[in-house]
Amino acid sequence: MNPVNYLYLAALLFTIGATGVLIRRNAIVVFMCIELMLNACNLAFVTFSRMHGNLDGQIIAFFTMVVAAAEVVVGLAIIVSLFRTRHSASVDDASLMKL
Amino acid sequence: MENLIALLIAAPLLGAAVLLAGGRRLDRVGHWIGTLLSAASFVFGLILFADLLGKNAEHRTLTQHLWTWIPVGGFQADVTFRLDQLSMTFVLLITGVGSLIHLYSVGYMEHDERRRRFFGYLNLFLAAMLLLVLADNYLLLYVGWEGVGLASYLLIGFWQHKPSAATAAKKAFLVNRVGDMGLSIAIMLMFTTFGSFAFGPVLGHTGDTSEGKLTAIGLMLLLAACGKSAQVPLQSWLGDAMEGPTPVSALIHAATMVTAGVYLIVRSGAIFNAAPDAQLAVTVVGAVTLLFGAIVGCAKDDIKKALAGSTMSQIGYMVLAAGLGPIGYVFAIMHLVTHGFFKAGLFLGAGSVMHGMNDEVDMRRYGGLRKYMPVTFITFGLGYLAIIGFPGLSGFFSKDKIIEAAFAKGGTEGWILGGAALLGAAITAFYMTRVMLMTFFGEERWRNQPTRSPEAPSAEPAAETRGEHTEPHPHESPKVMTIPMIVLAVGSVFGGAFFSIGDRFLNWLEPVTGHSEGDSPLSAATVTGATMVCLVIGVAIAWAQYGRKPVPAVAPRGSLLTRAARRDLLQDDFNHVVLVRGGEHLTRSLVYVDHTLVDGVVNGTAAGFGGMSGRLRRLQNGFVRSYAVSMFGGAALLVAATLLMRAV
Amino acid sequence: MSFPLLTATAALPALGAVATAAVPAARRTAAKWLALAASLATLALAITVLVRFDPDGARYQLTESHPWIADFGVRYELGVDGIAVALIALTALLIPFIVLAGWHDADPLETGSRRWRPTQGFFALILAVEAMVIISFEATDVFVFYIFFEAMLIPMYFLIGGFGDRAHEHGEEAAATQRSYAAVKFLLYNLVGGLLMLAAVIGLYVVAGNFSLQEIAEARANGSLHMATSTERWLFLGFFFAFAVKAPLWPLHTWLPNAMQESTAPVAVLITAVVDKVGTFAMLRFCLQLFPEASKWATPVILVLALISIVYGALLAVGQRDIKRLVAYASISHFGFIVMGIFAMTSQGQSGATLYMVNHGISTAALMLVAGFLISRRGSRLIADYGGVQKVAPVLAGTFLIGGLATLSLPGLAPFVSEFLVLVGTFTRYPAIGIIATFGIVLAALYVLVLYQRTMTGPVKPEVSAMPDLRARELVVVAPLIVLLILLGVYPKPVTDIVNPAVKQTMSDVHQTDPKPEVEAAK
């Protein structure tokens, strides 16, 4: 199978994720969409690794997973504390940091 | 012997320092310290004079180098003094008349609580004036030049609590500064032309440069002389300067400081000789001023201001003579010296009259004073005869020579200048007779005075502050005041004859100034005769107006010319409208411009940045998703740009 | 290695500042005496520098050089030439007077306040400024100079913003607002200038590879370091802009009147007599040495700006109603003379300009400090609130007049010598500019005499009728300054002897010689 097809898939997944981040309000969904984008990138990296015949892409994919895991931990903690204080998981409600 | 020159200046300078820094402790003896040091300077002057007389005419120049003042590259200014016949003449005049006036002031200022300071200023003036005439280069001369300006400022404004005195002092200094500008530009021109501004190198090399340069230097020197010597168009300060105490008017604004311009021109004779255009300008200024001052002098009812107009006019004669070149230099200085005697005497006489009349200065409130002040009357009268050029008295010799020299200039110029000088002599006779008649003759108008009219001019403050409007009791002044007057009167009587007989003065000064006889179209006797006729006409008109008829106590309205002359021929009005008002508008609008435009641009820039950041702040709306949009947009732009670069 | 005299001269006031700041709150008087002692000790060191300096010796003397940031070629390099020595002496001389004159300026409003600390701060800040100014005069490394040139702003900011005249026509709150406006304006102007200079400093490093003034100037002189014409011009402009803001030159001057008006008189003297001198000094040392060609290229424009400063500053001084603002505009006029002298590129002009910096420092200090004493007595800065002071306080009026006469450059007082040198130096090369600048002397007479007339003469106003004359402390401040003004006026040779060789060097840096007179009469 032509590896380029994997790239198309990665692009598609990334676009879905990006759209989700932009149009959804629920923090959990936004969060999942970010994960989707990260995984789309991972897929692209692995594909490139395969196409170029070296392991750089795969190593980067591992890094991405580690970062994603850390991000999940911090991000979920933030969302939970937000929900606790305002009883809502909508990202638009949390706009207090503006000047 | 050279080392004595510095002492000439050091004595009064020491006096000024001690009196001004000494404080109240010296109040009791201050005036005597000042007088003593001034007299000491005169004695040093006499010793040096004797020394000079003992030498050959060619060796009568002494120089004393004290220290190097400003050495920068080719610019070398030294503190060096030069005593030659010209400066010796001035030294004797300054210290001699100066000492007499110190003595007079002891009596005149007796009741002033700030007398010590007055003497400090007088000594400061003497030191500066001596520096002016003894300096060996123009820059050092400039120090004395401004120094006398400062002393004049302090003394005119001596009664500072009077706003009019403070204003007059400021005006004198400012007008003088305009002249000083001319002197400093002249020095700069000398430096670029000759690489020096010492008398020797500059005056000895006038042949090596172009006439244009010399004319420029000459005109700048003339500007300086106009400022200091109250010549048109910078004459306006002298009338106001009469706000100062009368001894000041006698010493500074009649006998010495105002003649500094004449000294400058005569000293720079070599420059003017080589620049005929500048010389012509000098004669024109002199001729205009001698008429201007005389006309102003005719209209003033304030005795001091009338005398001030006369001073202006007489200095006009000197400047005219100095502008004639070698024909006139000696006579300019001779008239300067004789004028120093009789004008100082006249002013001291005026002071004595005021002293006895509760500081009244309006001549319309004098009259018949000869009975009450015999000494003042006689000395003033002798001064009067001297100034109008009564045959045999000193003014006769010196003024007559100037008129002759003016005719000797030759051509149309000679006729015009000579005619102006003759006319001036007639007017002089008129206004001086007027002063004499109004003051010492006629009915006693000071008796049974109604209350003062509010617009009555008054220069001396004491009457105002004391609020005395009682009838004055005219009395003769104390000896300490009359002795100087008598000495000066003797000088006014015999000075001219002493100088002229055997051409003593001419022979004395010639080695410095040079001399040449012009070829006059008129014989000397003709000129003298014409002068006499003018004199008689002037006296006769004055007699007809002020001697035969009683003088009204309130000035009549008078003709247009009289009214203009009372206001100094509208010069002050011109200054006020053009310079003062214009200046005020200029500075006010500049203050506005500085605040709104220059500062406004900066503040505007700041406000602009503030506004811009306010706009930008709105992008920061706190909505995560809008931040995300900008991030994606940015990323997309980057990708697009990369692709585009590839494609190209 | 010999004793690091230059470092010590700068470090001593810095240490003094730290020590003064550390004095306990209740011991205010001790802090004052400590500051005075530190400034006097600095003066002693500065005099040592003056004595040790040999005018005919090497260009830079008493040099010190240590590697600092080796990777960027930054070295801690100090050295003084005649110009720097004169200015260090001026700075060290003025600070004790400033401290003495400001003795009570930072006292607590209610007596007995035990926790009031600003007194210590005031004197510590003054000493800190002194330290930075001195090291700016000493630094021969562009980077070191830049750091202290900029760091000076911090203590100055606090001095302007934190301490002002007690009395204000619109109350204390309005005064505080005005003060902070002035302080921020001062800071912003100078920061913008400094920023451009930073860019130019970096640019210079990129071109030259190090920061050493001597090395770069030498390399430029012998041709081993070539700079493109446009590069040189841009770098020159970067430096010049910063110095022109500091100097201040028209039209970058508007911070000065605000800063001087709002700060106390001693701080105003510190600004105009000490700190601003770094700007004009740096023009001579850095602009002319590093960028000789660009300096010549910019000369016509700079001369015109200087000329505008002279006339404009003087005219605005005439129109002021506030005594301190008047002095500030007079200073702007005087700085115009200094810049004009520097860029006339003649030895008279540059020696005159250096002398002018010294003399202006002394004369402004005399005038401004007496004005400060006057203001502290009546509690108003407005000229119209005074009148007839001469009658009640003759000594105060007399010293004020002498300060004013020095400001108008009366011959016999020190400023005349320098002003005339600047005028002559300019005239020999640019006659028209010289002549127009001469108008400045008439205008100077106008603003000084109008100020004197309105405040000191006339009938005594009731508000000033009880005004005390100068006190002993105030007399100690003013009398030495007046003596110096007279001494340097009649015998300026000691200063010109120190300055002349340095100016000669600078003239050869820019490849200029004095115009020859038409007739060599003097020879």
Side-chain angles (χ1 to χ4, degrees):
Chain A
M1 200 172 156
N2 189 351
V4 177
N5 290 335
Y6 292 101
L7 288 182
Y8 289 141
L9 178 62
L12 190 67
L13 286 175
F14 189 89
T15 313
I16 292 170
T19 318
V21 169
L22 290 183
I23 64 173
R24 296 304 297 261
R25 275 185 212 151
N26 189 308
I28 301 289
V29 178
V30 170
F31 206 64
M32 289 188 336
C33 288
I34 292 173
E35 289 301 311
L36 200 57
M37 285 157 71
L38 282 169
N39 282 320
C41 292
N42 273 347
L43 182 58
F45 276 126
V46 174
T47 313
F48 285 133
S49 173
R50 169 83 185 198
M51 284 163 76
H52 293 136
N54 63 20
L55 289 176
D56 292 359
Q58 299 195 19
I59 291 168
I60 295 222
F62 277 114
F63 274 108
T64 316
M65 279 182 215
V66 173
V67 171
E71 186 227 326
V72 167
V73 173
V74 178
L76 273 178
I78 293 173
I79 291 169
V80 167
S81 70
L82 257 183
F83 187 75
R84 273 198 193 147
T85 50
R86 348 185 122 223
H87 306 287
S88 143
S90 167
V91 287
D92 286 2
D93 287 349
S95 62
L96 280 181
M97 291 299 279
K98 71 173 174 186
L99 269 167
Chain B
M1 195 51 78
E2 290 86 16
N3 299 334
L4 223 52
I5 302 177
L7 287 180
L8 280 176
I9 300 175
L13 195 62
L14 176 76
V18 168
L19 291 179
L20 293 179
R24 301 225 164 86
R25 269 156 287 166
L26 295 176
D27 272 354
R28 287 250 206 97
V29 289
H31 45 285
W32 289 118
I33 296 178
T35 312
L36 208 69
L37 284 167
S38 158
S41 190
F42 181 57
V43 171
F44 293 137
L46 284 179
I47 295 173
L48 283 164
F49 182 55
D51 183 58
L52 283 196
L53 282 180
K55 292 185 178 175
N56 278 335
E58 302 85 65
H59 296 104
R60 282 177 180 166
T61 302
L62 302 177
T63 54
Q64 181 185 14
H65 175 82
L66 283 187
W67 66 80
T68 305
W69 183 26
I70 315 175
V72 176
F75 187 95
Q76 293 288 334
D78 292 341
V79 178
T80 305
F81 300 130
R82 170 201 191 93
L83 185 75
D84 56 13
Q85 291 92 325
L86 182 59
S87 25
M88 192 70 240
T89 313
F90 270 90
V91 166
L92 290 178
L93 175 73
I94 295 161
T95 54
V97 176
S99 301
L100 289 176
I101 288 173
H102 271 76
L103 191 62
Y104 177 91
S105 308
V106 171
Y108 190 83
M109 300 298 283
E110 196 176 353
H111 303 294
D112 198 304
E113 53 176 356
R114 292 161 70 233
R115 180 162 66 162
R116 168 183 57 85
R117 203 169 316 171
F118 181 78
F119 277 85
Y121 293 158
L122 274 188
N123 271 353
L124 178 68
F125 167 77
L126 280 191
M129 188 72 201
L130 288 168
L131 180 62
L132 195 165
V133 296
L134 286 170
D136 187 42
N137 61 60
Y138 283 96
L139 198 67
L140 196 60
L141 182 148
Y142 189 41
V143 176
W145 190 264
E146 286 236 336
V148 293
L150 169 68
S152 154
Y153 168 79
L154 293 170
L155 285 166
I156 296 172
F158 187 71
W159 286 311
Q160 295 191 339
H161 49 89
K162 265 177 63 187
S164 58
T167 309
K170 183 186 70 183
K171 182 176 175 186
F173 198 98
L174 279 177
V175 176
N176 268 300
R177 266 254 154 159
V178 176
D180 297 348
M181 224 177 88
L183 187 52
S184 51
I185 293 175
I187 295 174
M188 294 192 275
L189 272 167
M190 286 174 198
F191 180 66
T192 51
T193 313
F194 302 104
S196 170
F197 36 79
F199 289 153
V202 171
L203 301 175
H205 291 76
T206 46
D208 301 346
T209 184
S210 65
E211 196 187 309
K213 277 262 170 68
L214 291 173
T215 307
I217 295 175
L219 289 177
M220 285 300 126
L221 290 175
L222 174 62
L223 179 63
C226 282
K228 200 56 83 197
S229 294
Q231 300 293 294
V232 174
L234 297 178
Q235 86 296 356
S236 64
W237 63 272
L238 189 63
D240 295 4
M242 298 300 130
E243 289 286 344
T246 310
V248 172
S249 312
L251 177 61
I252 301 184
H253 305 117
T256 55
M257 182 188 90
V258 286
T259 57
V262 181
Y263 170 78
L264 184 70
I265 295 173
V266 173
R267 176 58 86 191
S268 316
I271 295 173
F272 285 97
N273 291 344
D277 291 343
Q279 260 186 335
L280 182 65
V282 175
T283 52
V284 169
V285 165
V288 169
T289 311
L290 84 86
L291 292 176
F292 187 105
I295 293 171
V296 170
C298 293
K300 294 282 182 186
D301 289 333
D302 179 328
I303 185 169
K304 286 179 74 182
K305 292 206 169 164
L307 289 177
S310 154
T311 303
M312 222 183 267
S313 164
Q314 296 300 314
I315 297 171
Y317 273 107
M318 299 170 209
V319 170
L320 168 66
L324 295 172
I327 326 171
Y329 289 141
V330 174
F331 303 127
I333 301 297
M334 191 161 103
H335 192 52
L336 192 155
V337 175
T338 56
H339 175 256
F341 289 133
F342 57 68
K343 187 53 67 62
L346 286 172
F347 264 111
L348 294 189
S352 173
V353 170
M354 287 156 53
H355 195 74
M357 295 286 291
N358 286 348
D359 295 322
E360 177 64 77
V361 291
D362 188 355
M363 291 189 292
R364 293 187 185 277
R365 285 157 198 277
Y366 292 167
L369 291 175
R370 66 180 183 281
K371 277 177 281 176
Y372 303 92
M373 305 179 174
V375 181
T376 306
F377 168 62
I378 292 170
T379 53
F380 196 94
L382 289 173
Y384 155 74
L385 291 176
I387 192 173
I388 63 170
F390 191 80
L393 272 66
S394 58
F396 166 76
F397 291 101
S398 50
K399 202 192 285 178
D400 196 50
K401 290 281 188 196
I402 292 178
I403 300 174
E404 271 176 43
F407 278 113
K409 170 95 176 164
T412 333
E413 282 163 45
W415 284 104
I416 295 173
L417 297 174
L422 268 182
L423 182 60
I427 306 178
T428 307
F430 170 77
Y431 68 74
M432 283 312 298
T433 312
R434 173 176 176 267
V435 169
M436 197 67 197
L437 290 174
M438 284 175 87
T439 307
F440 292 103
F441 294 90
E443 49 186 288
E444 297 171 357
R445 292 183 299 277
W446 39 270
R447 287 196 193 280
N448 307 320
Q449 281 294 326
T451 46
R452 287 172 82 94
S453 54
E455 68 273 2
S458 57
E460 312 285 300
E464 281 173 59
T465 45
R466 278 192 246 122
E468 281 177 18
H469 297 306
T470 50
E471 191 178 293
H473 302 284
H475 55 85
E476 188 56 271
S477 300
K479 281 232 170 56
V480 73
M481 285 166 72
T482 49
I483 289 172
M485 285 152 62
I486 294 168
V487 175
L488 287 171
V490 170
S492 340
V493 174
F494 300 110
F498 178 76
F499 292 149
S500 295
I501 292 169
D503 285 339
R504 284 204 187 95
F505 203 76
L506 183 65
N507 295 335
W508 161 252
L509 267 188
E510 198 186 346
V512 186
T513 59
H515 184 70
S516 68
E517 298 288 341
D519 45 340
S520 177
L522 303 171
S523 71
T526 322
V527 175
T528 312
T531 315
M532 285 307 116
V533 173
C534 288
L535 193 157
V536 172
I537 294 174
V539 174
I541 296 177
W543 172 254
Q545 269 200 322
Y546 299 96
R548 283 193 320 163
K549 294 183 280 187
V551 180
V554 178
R557 208 169 121 78
S559 68
L560 203 62
L561 180 66
T562 316
R563 271 180 283 151
R566 278 193 198 126
R567 311 193 57 166
D568 298 322
L569 293 179
L570 304 181
Q571 158 97 30
D572 272 342
D573 303 77
F574 174 82
N575 283 353
H576 189 75
V577 172
V578 177
L579 298 176
V580 180
R581 285 278 173 76
E584 274 172 9
H585 283 298
L586 180 67
T587 50
R588 237 179 263 154
S589 48
L590 272 181
V591 169
Y592 179 77
V593 164
D594 196 57
H595 193 71
T596 50
L597 212 72
V598 182
D599 219 13
V601 168
V602 178
N603 284 347
T605 318
F609 273 110
M612 208 156 70
S613 53
R615 298 275 149 70
L616 285 174
R617 202 174 64 181
R618 282 199 211 133
L619 291 178
Q620 208 86 348
N621 56 11
F623 292 115
V624 180
R625 292 185 304 145
S626 77
Y627 297 162
V629 170
S630 49
M631 268 173 70
F632 281 120
L637 267 180
L638 270 178
V639 170
T642 323
L643 289 178
L644 207 66
M645 292 303 285
R646 267 227 191 139
V648 175
Chain C
M1 204 186 91
S2 59
F3 178 70
L5 191 57
L6 293 185
T7 304
T9 315
L12 189 67
L15 288 177
V18 174
T20 309
V23 172
R27 318 272 318 260
R28 278 184 294 276
T29 317
K32 294 175 184 176
W33 284 106
L34 187 61
L36 185 62
S39 64
L40 285 174
T42 313
L43 177 59
L45 278 180
I47 291 172
T48 318
V49 171
L50 198 63
V51 173
R52 293 266 303 273
F53 182 81
D54 171 20
D56 303 317
R59 177 166 195 176
Y60 293 105
Q61 296 182 25
L62 306 168
T63 49
E64 295 167 30
S65 181
H66 306 284
W68 184 17
I69 311 175
D71 288 344
F72 295 111
V74 177
R75 296 179 64 83
Y76 176 75
E77 270 188 353
L78 304 182
V80 285
D81 58 1
I83 301 170
V85 165
L87 290 171
I88 290 171
L90 169 76
T91 308
L93 176 82
L94 286 181
I95 300 291
F97 294 117
I98 290 173
V99 168
L100 257 183
W103 205 248
H104 295 301
D105 279 2
D107 281 354
L109 281 174
E110 65 272 26
T111 46
S113 156
R114 298 189 63 80
R115 295 177 60 191
W116 179 267
R117 284 206 64 87
T119 311
Q120 279 85 337
F122 182 73
F123 292 101
L125 287 171
I126 290 177
L127 287 175
V129 172
E130 180 183 20
M132 291 181 198
V133 169
I134 288 181
I135 207 158
S136 305
F137 287 140
E138 291 169 346
T140 53
D141 185 287
V142 179
F143 190 81
V144 175
F145 172 80
Y146 173 75
I147 287 179
F148 289 102
F149 183 77
E150 286 293 282
M152 223 181 287
L153 301 182
I154 301 164
M156 281 316 300
Y157 171 79
F158 287 110
L159 278 174
I160 298 170
F163 305 89
D165 288 328
R166 282 290 154 71
H168 194 275
E169 68 229 73
H170 302 303
E172 186 53 37
E173 204 151 308
T177 320
Q178 291 272 326
R179 268 208 299 278
S180 67
Y181 172 73
V184 170
K185 199 169 178 182
F186 162 81
L187 192 69
L188 283 181
Y189 262 88
N190 283 286
L191 274 182
V192 170
L195 198 67
L196 288 179
M197 184 179 161
L198 177 63
V201 168
I202 294 169
L204 183 70
Y205 176 71
V206 170
V207 177
N210 66 58
F211 289 107
S212 166
L213 174 70
Q214 293 183 61
E215 275 178 41
I216 299 174
E218 228 164 78
R220 297 232 43 195
N222 62 28
S224 61
L225 172 62
H226 179 71
M227 251 186 231
T229 314
S230 64
T231 318
E232 188 185 338
R233 287 179 184 174
W234 281 113
L235 293 180
F236 168 81
L237 286 179
F239 276 83
F240 183 77
F241 189 81
F243 304 148
V245 169
K246 192 75 116 203
L249 196 64
W250 186 89
L252 305 168
H253 63 277
T254 50
W255 64 269
L256 186 71
N258 284 86
M260 280 178 76
Q261 177 187 25
E262 296 304 332
S263 49
T264 63
V267 174
V269 172
L270 193 65
I271 298 171
T272 182
V274 176
V275 171
D276 285 352
K277 295 292 159 21
V278 182
T280 43
F281 163 80
M283 286 180 197
L284 260 175
R285 180 175 261 191
F286 294 101
C287 285
L288 295 192
Q289 275 196 51
L290 293 174
F291 317 108
E293 295 308 316
S295 301
K296 277 188 270 183
W297 162 74
T299 296
V301 178
I302 293 172
L303 283 179
V304 170
L305 289 181
L307 192 59
I308 294 176
S309 290
I310 292 171
V311 177
Y312 185 90
L315 278 175
L316 275 160
V318 176
Q320 294 306 317
R321 295 180 191 150
D322 180 310
I323 299 175
K324 284 166 139 184
R325 262 183 103 80
L326 190 151
V327 179
Y329 277 107
S331 284
I332 290 169
S333 179
H334 289 150
F335 277 110
F337 274 108
I338 297 175
V339 174
M340 193 170 88
I342 293 173
F343 281 89
M345 309 264 184
T346 54
S347 54
Q348 289 86 32
Q350 292 186 343
S351 285
T354 310
L355 211 55
Y356 211 127
M357 292 187 224
V358 176
N359 294 339
H360 171 257
I362 302 171
S363 69
T364 308
L367 182 65
M368 194 66 177
L369 292 179
V370 179
F373 300 149
L374 181 71
I375 290 166
S376 68
R377 282 163 165 69
R378 167 78 172 79
S380 164
R381 297 191 309 242
L382 292 181
I383 295 170
D385 285 348
Y386 296 88
V389 175
Q390 196 272 338
K391 188 102 178 155
V392 284
V395 179
L396 193 153
T399 50
F400 192 70
L401 181 63
I402 296 178
L405 292 174
T407 305
L408 64 77
S409 300
L410 187 86
L413 297 175
F416 167 73
V417 176
S418 40
E419 191 162 302
F420 201 83
L421 279 174
V422 166
L423 284 172
V424 164
T426 311
F427 186 84
T428 51
R429 190 154 287 165
Y430 308 97
I433 290 181
I435 288 176
I436 300 172
T438 318
F439 279 97
I441 69 171
V442 179
L443 293 172
L446 185 59
Y447 61 70
V448 168
L449 295 184
V450 168
L451 173 66
Y452 184 79
Q453 187 191 355
R454 296 207 179 137
T455 52
M456 299 298 172
T457 69
V460 181
K461 288 219 170 165
E463 294 89 347
V464 302
S465 56
M467 192 177 270
D469 211 335
L470 285 190
R471 285 177 253 273
R473 170 180 64 87
E474 295 164 335
L475 213 55
V476 167
V477 172
V478 181
L481 292 176
I482 288 174
V483 170
L484 263 177
L485 282 174
I486 296 173
L487 268 184
L488 290 180
V490 295
Y491 194 56
K493 196 163 171 284
V495 186
T496 52
D497 281 351
I498 291 176
V499 169
N500 280 342
V503 165
K504 216 177 197 173
Q505 290 275 3
T506 314
M507 290 279 289
S508 72
D509 287 337
V510 287
H511 315 295
Q512 293 277 19
T513 49
D514 287 337
K516 284 263 171 292
E518 195 183 312
V519 185
E520 280 289 339
K523 304 292 156 324

